[in-house]
Amino acid sequence: CEVMNLSGKVRERLKKDVAEMKLKDPNFRPGLVVLQVGGREDSNLYISMKLKAAAEIGINATHMKLPKTATEEEILHSITEINENSAVHGLLVQLPLDSIHKIDTEKVTNAVAPEKDVDGLTSINAGKLARGDLGDCFIPCTPNGCMELIRQTGVSVAGKRAVVIGRSKIVGAPMHDLLLWSHATVTTCHSKTADLAGEVGKADILVVGIGKAEMVKGEWIKKGAVVIDCGINHIPDETKSSGKRVVGDVHFASAKEQAGFITPVPGGVGPMTVAMLMLNTVYTESFRFLERHEPGKWNISYTKLHLQTPVPSDIAISRSCVPKPIDHLAREVGLLTDEVELYGKTKAKVQLKTIKRLQTQPDGKYVVVTGYAVSTSFCSVFLILSTGGAAGGGYSQVIPMEEFNLHLTGDIHAITAANNLVAAAIDARMFHDGLYILSLSLFASLVLSNPDQQTQKKTDPSTLTEEEITRFARLDIEPSSITWQRVLDTNDRFLRKITVGQSPTEKGHTREAQFDITVASEIMAVLALTSSLEDMRQRLAKMVVATSRSGQPITTEDLGVSGALTVLMKDAIKPNLMQTLEGNPVFVHAGPFANIAHGNSSILADKIALKLVGPEGFVVTEAGFGADIGMEKFFNIKCRYSGLRPHVVVLVATVRALKMHGGGPTVTAGMPLPKEYIEENLELLEKGCSNMRKQIENAQHFGVPVVVAVNAFKTDTEAELDLICSIAKAAGAFDAVRCSHWAEGGAGAVALGQAVQRASVAPSNFKFLYDLELPIADKIRIIAQTIYGADDIELLPEAQHKVELYTKQGFSSLPICMAKTHLSLSHEADKKGVPTGYILPIRDIRASVGAGFLYPLVGTMPTIPGLPTRPCFYDIDLDPETEQVNGLF
């Protein structure tokens, strides 16, 4: 007779496979939780064996111990928390539950998520086993270990007569099912079985798990049978220090004389049960987890479009499509349940811990679209858009449109609140300046800035220098130097210039001020450029709001408000997940004003998406307005802070826009288009292509391949579209393709996707346009001459003063974010094409130190829009029965 003990071999194999998992993903480690209620000694022994085996193999095992006083509700709550923890791949509830309260064991067992039920005891897993779905369920560890022991004997189960003694849910019943589905003829015996010895004598394979010490005698057993003893019993033994010893359900000494193979007790089934628990944790759920969440390996379903001709309105198309539940889409693209915060059925926020989980994974291909974003349909594609109405159109848009364009998840409201808190703090500080009392409680909450801009925390007033005491008690803000304005997300021209502090209670602290639109707030730019919660806290603290009368910059940290700002922004920092009409994922996050700020979506959204798509996938991110505005800032500002390097630039062109640059008539909103834009005019179009050539040249300055996407309208002719493509290629574009995604959805952008794929593997040599250490004026001049085509720049007196001030204050090494019109390469909106022979006037320069750039003001532009003669709110209403928004589009 051969005595079987094979658990060591299984553990060694598992140890090797876990090591291979870590090579595939260094951050991954199989996670197991053993939940125990009470403190039974036998349970403690079993758990210690499991924890020891897990540690040996490389599984991160945790023992969660609840007291005997734990109620059923508390136990179920703990199980729910473990179910939702993506770091845990297996959950084992140690039985029996040793509680002073009545506990429904079946209810507790079934509360375990079936996909984490490594003990295989839930009704779902038991039902699948009973039906023979062995590849889609967890098999209970003891029966699974028994089958492994039987397989190791080399004895074929098929056609053999098997007898199982015992019918428990943990051993007997699942053992019967496993043998049956392995094609044995199975008999289950129990306490009511007549002639038990006779039944045992027929067995080629005998599995015993009845809990009676040495009940099965050797003479019952058929010669050469395989005997698996699952029993664990204690009998008196005076030779042992404990006065007892462990035996099985089979009388081992007599049985081994008859059996061909037999398992010892202890040391046979017990260790193999633990090994199978480890196997379930590693081979099944951990393997499944890695496979499901391998970046780029998306199991995604796409929504079929039902195209109509003519193309209906954008809102009609949006409402005709039923979006996938957003939690379903999140799972499809590899996000874990606890990484996603749902905002209804169609929106969600993605937690920043996703970046940490995926940090070792390779990035996908990075594509920047300048002009407006393009819906594509190739490989794994993630679209990254800014907030603020850029939802696309036709059959190429983000849905639901109303959700996108209204409150979304409240990020803009958070920015408005944070921005206006700073404004209130400035006025309050000037009102109370000099009246602050030196107290420990107040100092403990403030960080005092040294003249060299290095900060240190002091909580003891006695350690302050005279300079610090003066600085704390009196910031001495120069009112005329305040650059921080209040913001509102509403078009209101009458807030462009206001007076604050007119109430008698403000004691004469009256000054002129203004409102800006919320997206013009520096906090919006901070949100777009931040790389982590800690980085956002630091950027918010460095925002300069004014200058003291002695010339020192005043920051939000000086005001003591930066911690509160971080609290207000703690949710806004998480990217928003939505989807396209065809079910592709979209991050909608951040929307800095492209005229004043850098006009790009967030770095965080880009970084998460690049990990999720995998090395063969594509992330298409947006750079607002034309290539001279959004793209230049994308490269020189966003790419500096993100460390990311784009593979391709997609430059969007249209026949109508190029005709306008060729000298076409002015287009007035609400009026019919002039005939030049709806009839073929190759001469006008060719003249306007000079602007496209310049924008291609601008992209090439950064060493990245350019693909021109020609968005086709129904009034465009073949000759016009061909002309644009041929001129673009002659100007150095990698490729130029026509696109019809507005009318055809993703199918209309296949050629564009293929061109982008080819361009992404073409040689490139990314470089920035200027060195940050150059003087401020030189950096401005390089942008003006290289990107805009200006002959030179002219610093007006206020701009010259700011150059000197910011250089003195230590801000001269920040990148430049030009604030100018997007309607022309020059500073004059009516100058189309490629203006030349002009000097670019710089009337002022302002600092967004927290965001991390200086922004020169070129010309004048409103920073809060006004309402037209007929505002669109006349058309907007809500259907009280359906709650449908009407008239928004």
Side-chain angles (χ1 to χ4, degrees), residues 677-693:
Y677 298 111
I678 56 178
E679 295 178 1
E680 184 175 289
N681 191 328
L682 297 179
E683 181 180 355
L684 186 64
L685 178 60
E686 185 171 8
K687 185 178 179 183
C689 282
S690 61
N691 183 272
M692 181 182 66
R693 289 193 194 93

Side-chain angles (χ1 to χ4, degrees), residues 745-759:
V750 170
L752 173 61
Q754 293 168 341
V756 169
Q757 280 183 307
R758 294 192 302 272

Side-chain angles (χ1 to χ4, degrees), residues 444-466:
S445 64
L446 291 176
V447 177
L448 300 177
S449 298
N450 289 328
D452 62 357
Q453 301 303 308
Q454 299 299 312
T455 60
Q456 58 180 356
K457 285 194 174 181
K458 292 190 176 182
T459 57
D460 184 357
S462 65
T463 64
L464 293 175
T465 66
E466 287 297 321

Side-chain angles (χ1 to χ4, degrees), residues 483-737:
T483 56
W484 196 269
Q485 308 298 344
R486 288 168 171 81
V487 299
L488 190 67
D489 195 38
T490 302
N491 295 1
D492 191 344
R493 69 177 69 251
F494 288 92
L495 295 178
R496 289 172 180 169
K497 189 172 185 180
I498 63 171
T499 303
V500 297
Q502 289 191 332
S503 170
T505 57
E506 275 56 76
K507 302 176 182 179
H509 285 272
T510 303
R511 65 183 179 88
E512 287 190 348
Q514 69 182 59
F515 268 80
D516 294 337
I517 195 76
T518 296
V519 293
S521 170
E522 182 177 351
I523 295 177
M524 177 65 90
V526 166
L527 176 66
L529 290 170
T530 194
S531 58
S532 66
L533 196 57
E534 180 182 5
D535 179 57
M536 183 175 73
R537 172 64 174 81
Q538 294 171 355
R539 287 176 179 271
L540 291 172
K542 291 190 293 186
M543 294 188 301
V544 174
V545 301
T547 301
S548 70
R549 287 187 171 89
S550 64
Q552 292 298 319
I554 304 298
T555 68
T556 50
E557 192 82 321
D558 294 328
L559 295 170
V561 75
S562 52
L565 298 181
T566 308
V567 172
L568 286 171
M569 294 294 293
K570 69 180 179 67
D571 291 319
I573 194 174
K574 303 166 189 173
N576 304 300
L577 178 65
M578 294 186 75
Q579 63 190 286
T580 67
L581 286 166
E582 295 181 78
N584 266 312
V586 181
F587 275 146
V588 183
H589 198 220
F593 208 4
N595 293 90
I596 293 177
H598 63 295
N600 286 204
S601 49
S602 79
I603 287 173
L604 284 168
D606 288 3
K607 285 190 170 182
I608 294 174
L610 284 166
K611 297 298 183 184
L612 290 173
V613 299
E616 301 303 317
F618 287 78
V619 170
V620 181
T621 194
E622 176 192 30
F625 291 156
D628 56 306
I629 299 287
M631 185 196 70
E632 181 271 315
K633 296 174 181 179
F634 170 83
F635 286 125
N636 284 321
I637 299 175
K638 184 176 179 179
C639 288
R640 286 187 196 270
Y641 287 119
S642 70
L644 300 173
R645 300 294 179 262
H647 294 78
V648 185
V649 172
V650 173
L651 181 64
V652 177
T654 65
V655 170
R656 293 176 183 176
L658 292 175
K659 283 181 176 179
M660 182 175 288
H661 278 292
T666 301
V667 175
T668 304
M671 299 295 290
L673 281 173
K675 63 181 180 60
E676 286 83 353
Y677 298 111
I678 56 178
E679 295 178 1
E680 184 175 289
N681 191 328
L682 297 179
E683 181 180 355
L684 186 64
L685 178 60
E686 185 171 8
K687 185 178 179 183
C689 282
S690 61
N691 183 272
M692 181 182 66
R693 289 193 194 93
K694 176 58 179 168
Q695 300 290 27
I696 293 171
E697 175 191 307
N698 286 342
Q700 290 174 328
H701 285 305
F702 298 94
V704 181
V706 182
V707 173
V708 174
V710 185
N711 283 355
F713 288 80
K714 61 182 180 180
T715 56
D716 301 338
T717 68
E718 292 292 316
E720 288 175 326
L721 296 173
D722 289 342
L723 179 63
I724 296 175
C725 291
S726 62
I727 291 176
K729 293 175 185 178
F734 177 88
D735 203 350
V737 294

